[in-house]
């Protein structure tokens, strides 16, 4: 089979005429350049010459409605972001597998020395809905999403009967109407998993690293945060 390095050229996945969504993005890049490179070039130049020194690592969902930089009006260089399905943190598992989220956490904490980590969950999370459906006994037709969201399986445990039981199915089905409970529990589970990373635990114990759990309500635009004492979510002032 030709692989592009010799033999026949394979069909490249590019088109010469940009589609409407791509045209829109290119226009956005032009506007970004005008704003950050023409009107105030110093800040970008500084980031280019001195490198990035973000103080915050944010772990968010891939959901297109919950863009961390847009939500927080953050400037380039302020947020180190990793986004995945359902904003999950897996447990610390140095087994040589492809751990994208863990790699980002490691780089942010050990190399960039961030002082804050935020896990940002949100309402109407498709990943969490998938997790609830799985527990309700519905078969999923995917290769990667189901195993991935099962990381947050423990978030469901307090709300549903023993796995595989009829009770579990009934409980999980009911939860489909109130997924926010699980979305928030999953943020708590991710915060707990963060603490299984030795370098995160070390920073927290030394007082150099703070961890936050947030949940964004898409409908109202309200941000909720975990109260460190009660571990319950409450709206941020
Ligand atoms: Zn989501």
């Amino acid at each position: 089979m030709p692989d592009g390095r010799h033999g026949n050229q394979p069909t490249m996945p590019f088109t010469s005429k940009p589609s409407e969504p791509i045209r829109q993005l290119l226009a956005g890049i032009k506007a970004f350049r005008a704003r950050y490179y023409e009107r105030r070039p110093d800040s970008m130049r500084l980031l280019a010459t001195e490198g990035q020194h973000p103080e915050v690592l944010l772990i968010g969902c891939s959901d297109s409605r919950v863009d961390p930089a847009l939500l927080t009006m953050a400037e380039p260089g302020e947020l180190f972001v990793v986004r995945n399905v359902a904003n999950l943190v897996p447990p610390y598992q140095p087994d040589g597998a492809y751990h994208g989220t863990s790699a980002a956490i490691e780089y942010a904490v050990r190399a960039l020395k961030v002082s804050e980590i935020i896990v940002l969950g949100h309402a109407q999370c498709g990943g969490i809905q998938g997790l609830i459906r799985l527990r309700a006994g519905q078969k999923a037709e995917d290769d990667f999403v189901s195993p991935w969201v099962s990381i947050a399986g423990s978030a469901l445990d307090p709300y549903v009967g023993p796995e595989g039981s009829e009770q579990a199915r009934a409980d999980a089905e009911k939860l489909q109407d109130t997924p926010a409970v699980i979305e928030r529990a999953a943020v708590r589970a991710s915060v707990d998993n963060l603490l299984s990373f030795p370098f995160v635990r070390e920073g927290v114990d030394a007082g150099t690293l703070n961890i936050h759990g947030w949940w964004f309500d898409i409908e109202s635009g309200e941000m909720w945060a975990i109260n460190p004492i009660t571990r319950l979510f409450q709206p941020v002032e």
Side-chain angles (χ1 to χ4, degrees), residues 61 63 86 122 125:
C61 183
D63 193 296
H122 69 99
C125 183

Side-chain angles (χ1 to χ4, degrees), residues 5-233:
R5 273 166 289 176
H6 42 74
N8 294 334
Q9 283 293 318
T11 312
M12 297 303 283
F14 306 119
T15 57
S16 51
K17 196 164 178 280
S19 59
E20 184 47 36
I22 297 300
R23 271 209 301 276
Q24 217 173 310
L25 294 182
L26 294 175
I29 290 170
K30 208 171 154 190
F32 177 84
R33 273 227 302 268
R35 180 168 166 191
Y36 286 95
Y37 284 81
E38 288 160 29
R39 267 175 252 157
R40 33 186 281 211
D42 289 352
S43 62
M44 290 310 287
R45 195 176 302 134
L46 210 63
L47 283 173
T49 53
E50 307 223 321
Q52 61 167 339
H53 302 284
E55 289 176 291
V56 180
L57 160 65
L58 190 146
I59 299 151
C61 183
S62 301
D63 193 296
S64 60
R65 301 163 294 180
V66 190
D67 185 301
L70 282 176
L71 281 186
T72 59
M73 309 271 282
E75 292 288 314
E78 287 181 353
L79 283 183
F80 190 81
V81 176
V82 57
R83 295 174 75 174
N84 61 43
V85 171
N87 46 268
L88 299 176
V89 174
Y92 177 71
Q93 218 167 52
D95 55 11
Y98 303 131
H99 293 296
T101 297
S102 303
I105 293 167
E106 178 171 63
Y107 190 74
V109 174
R110 297 179 100 169
L112 299 174
K113 305 201 183 306
V114 297
S115 56
E116 315 287 331
I117 304 179
I118 301 165
V119 178
L120 170 62
H122 69 99
Q124 303 172 19
C125 183
I128 297 298
Q129 279 154 14
L131 174 69
I132 297 171
R133 275 198 302 273
L134 277 180
R135 193 65 76 90
Q138 294 173 29
K139 218 174 134 39
E141 291 189 5
D142 62 61
D143 294 323
F144 300 109
V145 173
S146 296
W148 171 253
V149 295
S150 73
I151 288 171
S154 66
L156 277 165
D157 291 342
Y159 304 95
V160 299
E163 194 153 0
S165 67
E166 255 326 297
Q167 188 59 46
R169 272 165 199 248
D171 291 339
E173 241 158 65
K174 243 186 274 162
L175 277 171
Q176 290 182 339
D177 299 329
T178 52
V181 172
I182 305 304
E183 288 155 2
R184 294 174 189 169
V187 171
R188 274 188 220 104
S190 281
V191 166
D192 290 342
N193 281 345
L194 265 175
L195 292 170
S196 71
F197 288 68
F199 42 88
V200 172
R201 179 88 253 179
E202 235 168 69
V204 170
D205 288 345
T208 55
L209 188 56
N210 301 309
I211 298 184
H212 313 264
W214 290 3
W215 178 85
F216 179 66
D217 186 350
I218 291 177
E219 224 179 316
S220 68
E222 214 166 25
M223 189 66 82
W224 295 55
I226 292 179
N227 177 313
I229 295 153
T230 62
R231 287 202 21 119
L232 296 174
F233 276 82

